[in-house]
Amino acid sequence: MIKKAAEQGIVTVVNFRGTNEFGSNLLSEEYCQKYGLELVYFRALSRAAPEKEMLREAAKLFETLKYPALFHCKSGADRAGLMSALYLLIHLKRPVEEAQKELNWKFGHFKSAKTGILDYFLETYAEAHKQSGIEFMQWVDLEYDPIELTEKFKTKSGASFVVDRILRRE
């Protein structure tokens, strides 16, 4: 994947699993160095409401990355989907409806499982924006409450079983 990304003009690889000692991270580091790509680690969660500080840090990340960049996590469905949506909302100032398309079953994302909290997060912002026109980061700073969002979100146990036990997502 790294060699092909370099051949296609990618200059930065962003790993949304954060830093750790997984073999996959060590291989990513080795191959990014080999092919001259910058490797950036940023931790995003796939089963929790995004924390306000993570959202602020994401805005800084998008401002400082060298582009074109490749976003990835373990499966490319949840964390990478969320961060792609945030990139559209924060960096490109695209409509939330466009950003929501980054969390899709076609990419392996399951809205009914625990990972659906990411959809619920975007849906909550979409409703606030529809009512008042509030910009995303302003909403994050003034209205967004990750604890309240978490308390209101409900999963479907069957979907969580598939994602957690069968697909072995983290």
Side-chain angles (χ1 to χ4, degrees):
M1 172 183 86
I2 302 294
K3 180 181 178 186
K4 188 171 185 173
E7 290 170 350
Q8 293 177 344
I10 300 294
V11 297
T12 306
V13 174
V14 185
N15 178 332
F16 293 119
R17 294 177 79 187
T19 57
N20 56 52
E21 296 299 318
F22 292 149
S24 59
N25 279 11
L26 299 174
L27 288 171
S28 291
E29 290 171 10
E30 179 183 332
Y31 279 88
C32 282
Q33 185 175 20
K34 180 177 179 177
Y35 293 105
L37 301 175
E38 182 177 350
L39 178 60
V40 175
Y41 291 101
F42 187 93
R43 188 163 185 262
L45 300 176
S46 61
R47 289 170 169 68
E51 294 294 329
K52 287 185 175 200
E53 188 56 32
M54 185 281 282
L55 296 166
R56 291 183 195 108
E57 290 298 319
K60 291 177 192 172
L61 173 74
F62 299 141
E63 289 176 19
T64 59
L65 281 178
K66 295 176 188 165
Y67 293 96
L70 171 70
F71 291 177
H72 85 91
C73 54
K74 180 180 175 187
S75 63
D78 307 312
R79 288 174 289 220
L82 171 67
M83 296 304 292
S84 296
L86 293 176
Y87 174 80
L88 291 171
L89 279 170
I90 296 169
H91 193 68
L92 297 182
K93 307 289 188 210
R94 302 298 303 158
V96 65
E97 296 80 14
E98 184 178 334
Q100 288 174 300
K101 293 176 185 176
E102 296 300 316
L103 291 169
N104 192 295
W105 65 269
K106 292 185 288 187
F107 306 130
H109 174 74
F110 292 85
K111 184 177 185 172
S112 298
K114 293 174 189 170
T115 53
I117 196 161
L118 306 176
D119 300 88
Y120 188 58
F121 165 72
L122 293 175
E123 289 164 9
T124 302
Y125 168 64
E127 185 58 35
H129 180 73
K130 181 179 174 183
Q131 290 179 6
S132 68
I134 193 167
E135 294 298 321
F136 180 73
M137 289 309 295
Q138 185 181 21
W139 174 76
V140 167
D141 290 333
L142 300 176
E143 298 179 14
Y144 173 55
D145 182 344
I147 295 170
E148 180 183 338
L149 187 120
T150 300
E151 290 171 356
K152 289 181 177 179
F153 176 69
K154 304 292 181 230
T155 64
K156 294 182 181 172
S157 61
S160 291
F161 178 80
V162 169
V163 171
D164 295 343
R165 303 288 185 178
I166 296 173
L167 296 177
R168 299 180 161 270
R169 297 274 179 80
E170 49 185 58

